[in-house]
Amino acid sequence: MKAIQAALLGIGTVGGGTFEVLNRNSEEITRRAGRPIRIVTVADRNLEHARKVVRDRAQIIDDAFAATQDPQIDIVIELIGGTTVARDLVLSAIEHGKHVVTANKALLAKHGNEIFAAAQKKGVMVAFEAAVAGGIPVIKALREGLSANRIQWIAGIINGTTNFILTEMRNKGLSFAEALKQAQELGYAEADPTFDIEGVDAAHKATIMSAIAFGVPMQFERAHIEGISHLQSIDITYAEQLGYRIKLLGITKMREQGIELRVHPTLVEADQLLANVEGAMNAVLVQADAVGKTLYYGAGAGAEPTASAVIADLVDVTRLHTSDPEHRVPHLAFQPEEVRELPVLPIEETVSCYYLRLSVSDETGVLANVARILAEQGISIHGIRQIAAPAGATRTDVIVLTHETVEKQVNTALAAIEALPAVHGAAVRLRVEHL
Ligand code: HSE
C-alpha cells in the first residue's frame, strides 16, 4: 500500500529521535500500521543541522508553512515547541486537512480548545501522546484503557528535571541551588530552567490529563502552580524523619463541587511507589472506580523515549486515516458534545493534609496556643513534633502534620499562629497527599 506521507517540523532532539527510530524500526512499524510511514519533508531553520541528521532521506526546507500546505502531506508532526509559531503551524495544517501529531504540551494546555475545535470541524486528528510524560503511554491509558471507569484522581511526577533535583537534594543533602547547578551540568535542566522548576511544565501536563480524565476543556489558566525553587533542604530532612519524601506532583481530582488542578511540592509516604520514583523518571498514578489504582512509570523525556510516543501516534493516525471521523477516539476522550464546563476550584477550596513548620521560642504555652488556634479552625492534628533545640538555643522548630482540611482554614489558622509573639517569621506550609 502507498506510504503515508508525513512532514516533520523541527528536527531538534525529539525530531532527530523520531526520524531515526522511524527509519530503524520501519519494518516493524509498517507491519503494525498496515502501510509504510515516511517522513518525506523535514522543515527546520537550521538547514545545516537538518542535513546532518537527515542526509538524503527526505526533502529539507526552512519554511514550515510550506509543509503544512503541501497537498502530498497527510500528517504534520509539530516538534517546534512554543505557543506562537507552533499554534499558527498546527492551525494551518488543520485548515489544509492534515492530521497533526504534536509533543507540545504548552500549546495544547493553552490553545487546545481552539485546536481541537478546528480539528473537529475539519474531520482530522490531533494526536498528542508525547505531550505528557514522554514515552509513557498515559494518554492512551486515560483515553482508551480506562474508558469503563469514573476517574477520581490523578497524581503524577511529570517533570523529570525537578524530580532529578529533588532526588539529589535528598540523597546528597544539597541545597536547591546546588542541585539545580548539577542538573544543568548534566544536561537535565535547560539554561533557563524556569518552566521546569516553577512547575509550569508540570501544570501544562496536568491540565491535559485533567481534561481527558474528566471530559472538561483545557483550563490551564485556572491551575494552581507552585514550583520547587523555594523548597529548603531542612524540610526534606524533616519529612524524611517523619516517613515522607517530597515530590513535585501534578494533581487533578474530581470533587462534588468541581475539579482540583494543582502542581506543588508534596509530602508522599516513603513506602508509596510514587515516593520511590527517582532521578529524571516520571510516573503517573490514577485512581478510578472500577479498576482501582494503576501506575504508569517510565522515561518522561529524551530523544528516543519521546520518539516512541510520537511514532505510536503516527501509527494510530495511519490506521484511522481512512476511517469515518465520527468513529475515531475523541480528542478529549469524551464525545465533543459531552465535554462539560466543570469549574476548577480555587486553591482555597481544595482539600489536603498539611505539613506546617514553625520557628518558635522554646517557652511554656507555645504548643498549647498553636493547638488551640488549629482547633478553632476545625483542623485536626495528625502528628506534632518539636525538634529538640541545641543547648543554649532559644528557638526551635515545631512540625505539625494535619488531617485533611480545606486550605482556607489553614490560611486563617496560619495568620493567627504567625501573629503569636512566640512564633517567628512565616510558617513553612507544604501539602501532604495520602495516595
Ligand atoms: N522538561 C521536561 C522534564 C521534559 O524535565 O520532564 C519535557 O516536558
Side-chain angles (χ1 to χ4, degrees):
M1 201 190 257
K2 181 177 174 283
I4 199 144
Q5 318 253 36
L8 174 61
L9 315 186
I11 191 148
T13 307
V14 177
T18 300
F19 198 82
E20 287 311 323
V21 175
L22 198 55
N23 277 286
R24 189 172 78 223
N25 295 346
S26 67
E27 200 188 319
E28 289 286 89
I29 292 166
T30 305
R31 285 174 61 209
R32 291 190 172 108
R35 59 196 279 196
I37 300 171
R38 295 235 162 81
I39 294 176
V40 293
T41 302
V42 172
D44 201 290
R45 282 203 192 132
N46 188 340
L47 292 174
E48 203 184 317
H49 170 75
R51 272 187 213 111
K52 261 192 219 146
V53 180
V54 175
R55 303 196 298 275
D56 59 356
R57 295 178 287 178
Q59 166 191 219
I60 299 169
I61 58 173
D62 63 359
D63 176 12
F65 284 96
T68 67
Q69 295 161 22
D70 181 346
Q72 287 178 44
I73 298 296
D74 303 303
I75 308 175
V76 167
I77 311 166
E78 185 277 306
L79 298 177
I80 286 179
T83 56
T84 52
V85 179
R87 172 178 168 271
D88 295 342
L89 286 167
V90 165
L91 290 173
S92 166
I94 292 169
E95 184 55 35
H96 289 88
K98 322 288 181 208
H99 304 295
V100 173
V101 171
T102 178
N104 194 332
K105 61 232 77 174
L107 178 67
L108 294 180
K110 291 176 86 170
H111 302 296
N113 300 327
E114 176 192 19
I115 289 168
F116 295 137
Q120 183 69 20
K121 209 164 131 200
K122 273 282 177 181
V124 296
M125 291 171 268
V126 176
F128 51 94
E129 184 63 67
V132 178
I136 308 173
V138 69
I139 299 296
K140 190 83 169 174
L142 288 170
R143 286 206 315 180
E144 299 177 53
L146 297 177
S147 54
N149 291 263
R150 271 189 297 111
I151 295 175
Q152 293 152 321
W153 54 257
I154 300 174
I157 295 172
I158 44 181
N159 182 268
T161 306
T162 45
N163 203 49
F164 174 84
I165 292 171
L166 292 174
T167 303
E168 292 296 288
M169 287 175 78
R170 185 179 76 84
N171 288 348
K172 300 187 181 156
L174 302 181
S175 66
F176 168 78
E178 290 165 334
L180 171 62
K181 190 160 169 275
Q182 203 169 101
Q184 284 172 320
E185 281 163 8
L186 291 170
Y188 286 117
E190 317 250 346
D192 178 359
T194 314
F195 262 33
D196 289 322
I197 62 174
E198 298 305 347
V200 179
D201 174 74
H204 289 146
K205 296 166 183 168
T207 298
I208 295 171
M209 290 198 290
S210 179
I212 62 173
F214 305 132
V216 297
M218 300 286 174
Q219 305 188 72
F220 171 71
E221 63 291 349
R222 297 193 185 142
H224 175 82
I225 310 175
E226 283 173 40
I228 62 166
S229 59
H230 299 293
L231 195 65
Q232 297 175 43
S233 317
I234 189 70
D235 293 305
I236 294 180
T237 305
Y238 287 158
E240 187 88 11
Q241 290 169 2
L242 295 163
Y244 295 88
R245 293 199 182 150
I246 299 182
K247 295 290 182 188
L248 183 73
L249 294 189
I251 296 171
T252 186
K253 290 188 185 185
M254 173 61 86
R255 300 240 326 273
E256 227 172 89
Q257 309 85 331
I259 287 166
E260 294 190 3
L261 178 56
R262 47 192 167 98
V263 171
H264 49 71
T266 313
L267 274 75
V268 180
E269 283 147 315
D271 59 1
Q272 289 280 330
L273 285 169
L274 215 51
N276 292 281
V277 172
E278 298 280 53
M281 299 305 277
N282 281 199
V284 179
L285 182 61
V286 183
Q287 167 73 43
D289 71 333
V291 71
K293 288 190 184 76
T294 52
L295 178 68
Y296 309 89
Y297 170 86
E304 295 209 355
T306 312
S308 166
V310 170
I311 296 168
D313 277 347
L314 288 174
V315 171
D316 266 359
V317 171
T318 302
R319 285 171 174 156
L320 295 171
H321 176 53
T322 53
S323 66
D324 172 357
E326 293 202 347
H327 295 136
R328 294 174 184 153
V329 181
H331 292 113
L332 293 182
F334 292 71
Q335 297 298 332
E337 65 280 7
E338 295 295 334
V339 170
R340 297 195 178 140
E341 297 274 348
L342 283 175
V344 172
L345 297 171
I347 191 68
E348 296 77 22
E349 299 297 336
T350 61
V351 176
S352 191
C353 301
Y354 290 83
Y355 160 104
L356 310 173
R357 170 164 63 85
L358 314 170
S359 172
V360 303
S361 298
D362 197 0
E363 60 188 38
T364 313
V366 180
L367 282 187
N369 277 332
V370 168
R372 175 184 52 77
I373 291 170
L374 290 172
E376 280 166 4
Q377 288 306 317
I379 299 170
S380 172
I381 296 172
H382 173 63
I384 193 159
R385 179 161 179 201
Q386 179 169 334
I387 311 297
T394 54
R395 289 185 187 179
T396 184
D397 283 342
V398 169
I399 313 295
V400 180
L401 293 174
T402 76
H403 285 295
E404 271 196 344
T405 180
V406 181
E407 174 126 344
K408 65 183 170 201
Q409 280 162 311
V410 175
N411 294 342
T412 309
L414 280 181
I417 288 170
E418 285 167 354
L420 292 171
V423 174
H424 306 285
V428 170
R429 169 248 304 270
L430 295 166
R431 297 173 190 85
V432 183
E433 292 288 335
H434 297 282
L435 304 168

